[in-house]
Amino acid sequence: MFTFRTSITFAVMSFVVALTLLLVAIQLRSLRFATREAASAYMDATSTKVLGRLQGELSTISSLVHVLATSSSVADSNERSETGRAIPLFKAALQEFPQMDSIYAGFENGAWLQVRRIRDLTEEQREHFRAPANAEIAISLIRPTMDGDLPLRRIFQDKQGNEIGELDLWKFGYDPRKRSWYWATMQADNPYISEPYLSYSIGAPVITVSAPLRGKVPGVLAADLKLDTFSEFVQAQRPGEHGTVMIFDQAGSIIAHPEFTDLVTNAMTHPAQSSLPSIDEINTGMMASVIRGSYNKDSYEGSIDDGTGKGFLFRVTKFALGERYNGSILLLAAQDDFVQNVRRLQFTGLVLAILVGAAFLPIVWMFGSQMSRSIQRVTAQARQLQTLSEPELVPVTSYIKEIHALGSTMNLAQRAIWSFAHFVPKEIVRGLIENSISTRLGGVKQEVTLVFTDVQGFTTIAEAADPDVLMRQTSRYFSAMTAAFLAEGGTVDKFIGDAVMVFWNAPNPQADHVARACRAVLAAKAAGERLNVEFEADGLKPFITRFGIHVGEAVVGNLGSSERMNYTALGNTVNLAARLEGLNKDTRTTILVSEDVYSRVESLFKFRALDAVVAKGMTRETRIFELVGAST
């Protein structure tokens, strides 16, 4: 078996000689291939930059909307005013995130508050909005009357925040509760990204990012991302001088197009329909041919002629925005835009190949050993992936670009898997790496021990606490609980608000899983009591934890969709464990176990027998016991 240094020297020299002999013979083919590769790389860069910006802006707005939806300035009252606390908050958010067009909140009683940036609107849009010449901000407020009317008051402010005008529209006709961004968000009770549509107030194409209010009153907080300026950015990134980029969603609505402004203007012939221009309007030319060929395909690429003898490369790729919304990006690149650069590079490469070929042997031999050491270090890092070890601070480096990139990539992979193990139980991550856990949906029946925890009166604590302080306190609490469960080999399945679900005997078998669960709960209770002493010393409310333990058969496996799944347990065993935790409130206890748990480990732990009960949602009576401590 040859050493790496000998092998690479022989391989590289053989390649250089073969390349030198064959380069002239394959010049035309190489030119054609290189042209396609250059155009394809440019299209890759365009797709990455364009979709990265769109997804980045939506992700940023989604984070902001999620935070604002929990603010007491917005979510604690549906009685809005022109001087409410939410207005400075909305204005600051618009100032911080210029990609947003407006921020608004709609409430169940029909109230609506919007803060919109006016200075970025076109003259036509400002006229439609009835904005004064020097207006910077418009505050729109709907306060429902006793008769159910929804009159609008609009206040205009200048750059310094001074009021420079107001407008009252008694029959404005806008009911936020009937808008799709409102009812879709309320129905899902989760953050929501809308399909693109024409804005009701300014007639511009937008995407709305919304989230349900988390406070005292029901409602939805939302923000708009304008698409007219985004389309201009997209066209600036086109692949080559004669290239074209178009983006459309799954419904056929066009999000970006070289003539986007004209298409939107035509679509606004019937503005009440709130519809964007459709790909159905593109029925001639190369774009139309490519769109027809891409139907029902996740990816579609190839070459096409424009009818005058000029060749173009095309690509149609699907992408996702949020959980419910996806679209496609279409790119056209003229091959002639890349030929000159490729020919120059080809000639330069031929000259360099001849010059380097003569002196390459000693260079390869000198650096072969260094490359070998680098590859050995990368191999060692690959082995560490299975152990989920913390990655090295500095990746493997090399003067060879590919090895340097390989080292960086391997270090990134280590960091990704190591970080992934902080969000998913390590045993599951290790099982996925070793292929002992399937990535297909489905599960198997097996016996597991389930533990559910909950913090007594957490809702009351959360309402009175500062959100940032509560987040840090809850994280300290979860860290203490998780440490106790992991010490006994538990699989922390999920955090449900202030609750934790843990199970044993999966994914790896554990003969003493019931005893492990009981020891873990006792340790978690003790850790919680120690932590409460620290909380009270810091002036924080203590977290009194209640536990429920049950053992039985459950379906364990992958639940979810093909795109996103969760390794978890389902079945009556899980439900009963959760119900046992809830029964602590009635029995004035902190740890309740089922009779099945008691019968398994009665010799190892101390229990106090309680009455038999019918748990909520159950039909059969269940004997319950309080876990007091370990037997001495």
Side-chain angles (χ1 to χ4, degrees), residues 49-277:
K49 187 177 296 184
V50 168
L51 297 180
R53 172 159 173 170
L54 180 58
Q55 292 169 334
E57 290 184 348
L58 287 175
S59 176
T60 300
I61 295 176
S62 294
S63 299
L64 174 67
V65 167
H66 179 73
V67 172
L68 291 180
T70 64
S71 171
S72 60
S73 299
V74 183
D76 283 1
S77 174
N78 55 19
E79 298 294 330
R80 316 313 304 181
S81 70
E82 297 89 338
T83 59
R85 293 184 301 158
I87 293 176
L89 191 64
F90 285 6
K91 290 170 66 175
L94 286 177
Q95 181 69 24
E96 187 69 22
F97 299 96
Q99 63 267 44
M100 289 190 303
D101 175 65
S102 65
I103 304 179
Y104 45 93
F107 300 87
E108 192 176 43
N109 68 342
W112 183 63
L113 172 65
Q114 180 194 56
V115 177
R116 179 184 291 279
R117 184 188 293 107
I118 297 294
R119 68 171 182 266
D120 297 333
L121 299 182
T122 65
E123 288 301 322
E124 183 179 355
Q125 290 170 340
R126 291 175 69 93
E127 181 178 351
H128 176 80
F129 213 70
R130 304 186 190 181
N134 57 340
E136 291 275 334
I137 293 292
I139 301 171
S140 299
L141 177 64
I142 293 179
R143 285 180 289 202
T145 66
M146 296 293 293
D147 299 329
D149 293 333
L150 300 173
L152 171 78
R153 166 162 288 189
R154 184 172 291 150
I155 298 173
F156 299 98
Q157 295 180 350
D158 61 14
K159 188 175 184 180
Q160 287 73 35
N162 301 315
E163 183 177 337
I164 59 174
E166 63 180 49
L167 178 67
D168 286 307
L169 299 173
W170 297 101
K171 295 189 179 297
F172 185 57
Y174 183 84
D175 188 342
R177 297 165 298 186
K178 297 180 180 179
R179 304 299 291 178
S180 61
W181 59 266
Y182 183 92
W183 57 259
T185 306
M186 292 294 288
Q187 185 177 14
D189 195 31
N190 274 311
Y192 181 78
I193 298 178
S194 75
E195 297 182 0
Y197 65 97
L198 292 178
S199 169
Y200 178 91
S201 51
I202 62 173
V206 297
I207 291 178
T208 295
V209 180
S210 54
L213 295 180
R214 302 301 187 190
K216 296 180 180 179
V217 295
V220 174
L221 187 136
D224 288 342
L225 172 66
K226 288 180 65 177
L227 293 177
D228 46 5
T229 54
F230 173 72
S231 185
E232 296 172 3
F233 166 79
V234 169
Q235 299 316 311
Q237 312 305 316
R238 64 186 184 276
E241 181 181 354
H242 301 91
T244 303
V245 184
M246 184 177 75
I247 302 178
F248 55 93
D249 65 14
Q250 74 269 30
S253 296
I254 297 175
I255 302 175
H257 188 274
E259 301 172 0
F260 189 67
T261 302
D262 294 336
L263 291 172
V264 170
T265 301
N266 293 334
M268 290 177 61
T269 304
H270 302 288
Q273 298 178 1
S274 298
S275 60
L276 286 174

Side-chain angles (χ1 to χ4, degrees), residues 451-456 458 472-504 516-535 542-548 581 590-591:
V451 170
F452 274 84
T453 79
D454 188 51
V455 176
Q456 177 180 319
F458 183 80
R472 290 197 296 268
Q473 182 183 6
T474 306
S475 297
R476 290 170 62 187
Y477 166 77
F478 279 146
S479 297
M481 294 293 105
T482 302
F485 296 139
L486 294 180
E488 290 294 340
T491 299
V492 180
D493 181 68
K494 60 175 70 69
F495 299 101
I496 314 166
D498 59 308
V500 186
M501 173 181 169
V502 195
F503 54 80
W504 278 261
R516 285 173 178 262
C518 292
R519 286 196 300 269
V521 167
L522 291 172
K525 178 183 177 183
E529 292 171 349
R530 292 192 296 271
L531 191 59
N532 282 335
V533 175
E534 299 179 13
F535 286 163
F543 281 5
I544 308 302
T545 309
R546 298 184 297 220
F547 304 85
E581 180 277 317
T590 56
I591 307 175

